[in-house]
Amino acid sequence: MTDTTIAAVRGRRVWDSRGRPTVEADVILKGGRSGRAIAPAGASTGTGEAVDKRDGGTAFGGLDVTAAVAAVNGEIAAALAGRDARDQAGIDAVLIALDGTENFARLGGNAVVATSMAVLHAAAAASGQPLWRYLSQGRKVRIPLPEIQIFGGGAHAARRVDVQDFMVMCPAATSFAQALDWTAEVYRAAGTLMKQAGKLQGVADEGGFWPAFASNEEALDTLVRAIENAGFKPGAEVAISLDIAASEFGRDGVYKLALEQRELDSAGMIALLGRWLDAYPIVSIEDPLAEDDRQGFQDFTAAYGSRCQVIGDDYLVTNAGRVEAAAREKALNAVLIKPNQSGTVSGTRAALEAGKAAGFGTIVSARSGETEDVTIAHLAVGWDSGQFKVGSFTRSERMAKWNEVLRIEEELADEAGFAGWAALPAGARRW
Ligand code: PGA
Ligand code: ZN
């Protein structure tokens, strides 16, 4: 093991998949090893998330990050110099104390998460192991079940449809590589259907087809046909997963479905999703209700949690305390894990472990604004999350993550199994 003392921390401005500025951090150790990470950025953010620091003003729509980069090169670099990069918990505690706010508003969640992940990479590099193996610490891990977007909607497609993500999962595949093979065929089949219907209009923020549909149900019908046309049994081999991202159109118990020009209350929203669960082979639903609809989450999970994974994203914001509360209240049965919602690697890990302790499904996830950074692929395997969500099956900020898991799967060979159906609630296997 080389010297793991932090010699320097450097921040710089780089660009994300939406062409917006973001923060990259390098952590250089005295022994010569180093680590690098880039902060991603969400569009449909939960109010309880760590917040990115943006400059405001006129440059780049106010989204520049020069102050966040300055924080990395200034205060953060000074506070971390001389610390041991292997002490992730201690370093994350320093970052939390240095910032001093609840949500990293002072230094910037973007500055902090890039630094925290770069420290992790540096420590792994010094150990001579790939990051996923450094994280697994000799424990047996699974290759995660991927959740892959076919149509993108909501905030990622100018609200062309209300639902944000229409995705597929291939739990009957026997490996991650095969799940990607199947998804590639479904994605192609969906594109062909869109073209035939004269509805091919490019792709949304995460690479899924831009959904030129007249209703949310038309998207679901098209997805089922795409699965069939690709040669798979809907539900049994390739199933549907939705991210409703309901905080984007619901507040104070009122849900405004713009596409269909109607308003629903919480019970109406639950009934609508229940009809979809009856009619379509859906195995997972994320944020079915808005982040302020605690009772709605409990009612939805009581009604449908036995036959469908119910994931909290905006509702839980990768926060261990919120996961524990949701488990007590039976508000959900799965948690989305996004490092930049928490701000630190340790906080992210704590939320995932709280989910596992509660018997929840755990899904490591990208953001809609991404880069070539593949840290989350290593977190998903090394922390044995069982599931992995990255967006669609085009655009290299997405494909970089899928491809990284392919490499890890090859390296693990017989050591690890593919999570498959075991990642989902048993009752989801009903088609
Ligand atoms: P976001 O979308 O990164 O824009 O928040 C991803 C999600 O809602 O899961
Ligand atoms: Zn979401």
Side-chain angles (χ1 to χ4, degrees):
M1 174 78 75
T2 60
D3 190 344
T4 52
T5 308
I6 296 176
V9 180
R10 289 198 196 110
R12 70 178 64 81
R13 188 181 76 189
V14 295
W15 300 88
D16 76 10
S17 56
R18 284 191 275 245
R20 296 176 182 170
T22 189
V23 180
E24 176 169 273
D26 288 350
V27 169
I28 299 118
L29 307 182
K30 284 201 172 144
R33 299 301 175 100
S34 64
R36 170 176 292 168
I38 311 177
S44 63
T45 50
T47 50
E49 297 190 15
V51 294
D52 288 343
K53 194 172 182 72
R54 304 280 183 184
D55 292 356
T58 53
F60 315 125
L63 297 174
D64 209 351
V65 293
T66 59
V69 168
V72 176
N73 286 317
E75 281 187 70
I76 291 176
L80 298 193
R83 294 192 179 265
D84 187 339
R86 290 173 300 178
D87 179 20
Q88 187 76 46
I91 284 173
D92 288 338
V94 166
L95 291 168
I96 289 167
L98 183 67
D99 178 80
T101 70
E102 288 261 287
N103 57 0
F104 293 111
R106 198 179 75 75
L107 296 169
N110 41 3
V112 173
V113 78
T115 305
S116 182
M117 294 195 305
V119 167
L120 179 67
H121 277 286
S127 79
Q129 294 175 297
L131 179 53
W132 66 266
R133 203 181 272 285
Y134 174 75
L135 290 169
S136 72
Q137 292 179 318
R139 286 185 305 263
K140 201 167 158 46
V141 294
R142 291 164 300 164
I143 296 292
L145 174 66
E147 189 182 9
I148 307 185
Q149 188 194 64
I150 306 296
F151 305 122
H156 303 160
R159 294 176 211 289
R160 184 61 191 73
V161 295
D162 303 297
V163 175
Q164 181 179 286
D165 296 309
F166 295 88
M167 297 169 286
V168 293
M169 297 177 104
C170 303
T174 54
S175 66
F176 189 85
Q178 189 176 49
L180 295 194
D181 289 358
W182 293 7
T183 304
E185 298 288 13
V186 173
Y187 189 83
R188 269 171 56 83
T192 303
L193 283 172
M194 301 281 275
K195 194 169 179 192
Q196 284 165 354
K199 296 194 169 178
L200 201 53
Q201 294 190 353
V203 298
D205 278 12
E206 297 189 354
F209 293 111
W210 188 274
F213 296 119
S215 66
N216 294 299
E217 282 86 352
E218 192 186 348
L220 288 164
D221 287 327
T222 306
L223 190 47
V224 171
R225 275 174 48 220
I227 293 168
E228 287 169 346
N229 289 0
F232 300 105
K233 291 192 202 73
E237 290 175 319
V238 180
I240 295 178
S241 167
L242 301 176
D243 182 0
I244 309 298
S247 305
E248 290 293 307
F249 57 87
R251 181 169 307 215
D252 298 328
V254 181
Y255 293 86
K256 294 183 179 159
L257 294 168
L259 186 58
E260 289 151 41
Q261 293 188 335
R262 56 178 168 151
E263 276 185 21
L264 298 173
D265 60 9
S266 188
M269 193 66 206
I270 292 169
L272 173 70
L273 296 175
R275 287 196 293 280
W276 289 357
L277 276 165
D278 287 337
Y280 300 101
I282 297 167
V283 293
S284 180
I285 299 190
E286 181 176 328
D287 283 351
L289 286 310
E291 61 184 358
D292 65 356
D293 195 349
R294 192 162 148 218
Q295 187 62 47
F297 268 96
Q298 292 176 33
D299 294 345
F300 182 79
T301 300
Y304 301 111
S306 63
R307 57 165 152 144
C308 175
Q309 174 168 260
V310 187
I311 307 174
D313 172 12
D314 294 352
Y315 190 74
L316 297 177
V317 291
T318 315
N319 178 306
R322 290 196 190 207
V323 174
E324 283 157 9
R328 281 194 301 276
E329 295 165 5
K330 298 191 185 355
L332 297 153
N333 60 28
V335 53
L336 204 73
I337 299 291
K338 294 168 164 172
N340 81 326
Q341 283 185 328
S342 164
T344 65
V345 169
S346 305
T348 305
R349 175 97 198 246
L352 184 135
E353 293 302 333
K356 284 192 183 182
F360 280 15
T362 54
I363 306 96
V364 169
S365 171
R367 302 305 307 242
S368 50
E370 272 293 337
T371 66
E372 67 273 24
D373 185 292
V374 296
T375 308
I376 54 170
H378 289 261
L379 301 184
V381 177
W383 288 345
D384 192 28
S385 66
Q387 296 176 67
F388 190 36
K389 178 188 181 198
V390 170
S392 193
F393 208 66
T394 59
R395 304 183 24 151
S396 284
E397 80 279 5
R398 313 290 151 190
M399 305 318 290
K401 277 89 162 163
W402 303 132
N403 290 342
E404 188 73 353
V405 179
L406 279 180
R407 295 182 195 105
I408 298 172
E409 183 170 63
E410 183 184 295
E411 202 179 326
L412 267 168
D414 301 331
E415 267 181 72
F418 175 58
W421 277 113
L424 296 167
R429 198 171 182 173
R430 62 198 168 88
W431 291 77

